[in-house]
Amino acid sequence: MSTARERILEATAELLATKDAPAISTRAICDRAKVGMPEIYRQFGDKEGLLTAVADIGFERFLANKRRNPQTGDPVADLRTAWDSHVAFALRNPYLYRLMFTPTGEAKPQAIGEAQALLLSAVERCRDAGRLRTTPALACRSILSANVGVCLMALSFPELFGGLDISQSVRDAVIGKVTGDEREDTRIGAATVLAQALVATLTGAAPADEETVTRLTHALRTSGPA
């Protein structure tokens, strides 16, 4: 038989399948879990503590999915696979993902550190293969920040940013810049050059040379109105 704590966590996760955390009342959680209101405070301190516990369970699922990503002989290709699996998880679990990556209270999911460590290990494989332009720590933070940003924009504004081509474009620009594996992508014009310039700034790479400035100017002139 499940404990009261387990029933509360399960009820909260089920409600998160259809709505954002702020829209879920403690009364709805208690009714679904068949417990009294004081049980939430007894088990988790308050609703914020409960949501942090649910976010950590979400990270367990997220990380288990990440560990299933195959490792090949091409560590840069593996980074792209990891990016795509991250996006797929977000699109399958939109409300849980927002809870995981946009915590509103002081308590933060502890598993974010493990997620970063897993990505850092993948980035270090690129370094060991001689395919990294910056430090592993900075490359890791740049990639994770961009990956999460793409997911949150896709979830918040699906009509504008929900296309997988946008995710793939940003993925190739960011990962390409930190690994030196840039790919020319005519689909994104100015966005490609701007993303590359941004990552260069984040990673402390040399400022844009004359060729990059020329490409950016040309892209902006030919991309048309936003």
Side-chain angles (χ1 to χ4, degrees):
M1 181 179 295
S2 60
T3 65
R5 181 183 180 86
E6 290 169 341
R7 293 200 306 275
I8 293 170
L9 289 170
E10 182 178 357
T12 308
E14 290 172 351
L15 291 168
L16 272 170
T18 59
K19 61 181 69 176
D20 270 318
I24 300 173
S25 68
T26 52
R27 170 56 62 191
I29 295 170
C30 291
D31 289 347
R32 195 177 191 94
K34 295 182 171 52
V35 299
M37 288 284 287
E39 196 64 36
I40 286 182
Y41 300 96
R42 186 177 300 116
Q43 297 289 341
F44 303 98
D46 53 20
K47 183 183 177 183
E48 182 181 317
L50 167 59
L51 292 177
T52 299
V54 173
D56 276 323
I57 292 174
F59 268 108
E60 290 176 9
R61 290 173 49 196
F62 175 78
L63 293 169
N65 185 63
K66 283 286 191 181
R67 293 187 188 99
R68 287 194 290 270
N69 289 336
Q71 282 194 4
T72 71
D74 186 341
V76 176
D78 291 347
L79 278 181
R80 294 192 184 95
T81 297
W83 176 293
D84 292 342
S85 72
H86 183 134
V87 172
F89 180 91
L91 296 180
R92 287 195 307 268
N93 306 278
Y95 304 113
L96 176 61
Y97 185 88
R98 270 199 282 261
L99 174 64
M100 291 163 55
F101 285 97
T102 58
T104 56
E106 291 184 6
K108 309 296 182 185
Q110 296 302 303
I112 185 66
E114 190 174 351
Q116 191 172 11
L118 197 61
L119 177 57
L120 180 61
S121 177
V123 170
E124 287 173 341
R125 290 182 60 231
C126 296
R127 177 203 59 195
D128 295 343
R131 299 178 68 184
L132 197 64
R133 285 181 167 179
T134 185
T135 66
L138 188 52
C140 174
R141 290 196 296 270
S142 299
I143 293 169
L144 186 57
S145 297
N147 208 171
V148 172
V150 162
C151 291
L152 292 177
M153 291 297 282
L155 296 179
S156 299
F157 306 98
E159 299 84 0
L160 294 175
F161 300 100
L164 288 180
D165 57 333
I166 296 174
S167 172
Q168 292 163 359
S169 296
V170 178
R171 176 200 68 191
D172 290 347
V174 174
I175 293 177
K177 191 65 180 179
V178 300
T179 64
D181 195 34
E182 292 97 340
R183 295 177 172 183
E184 189 67 30
D185 189 344
T186 58
R187 294 173 301 168
I188 53 177
T192 299
V193 186
L194 286 168
Q196 290 173 345
L198 173 60
V199 175
T201 300
L202 289 172
T203 58
D209 55 21
E210 183 177 350
E211 179 184 356
T212 300
V213 173
T214 301
R215 288 175 59 208
L216 176 56
T217 302
H218 174 73
L220 290 171
R221 286 174 176 171
T222 58
S223 60

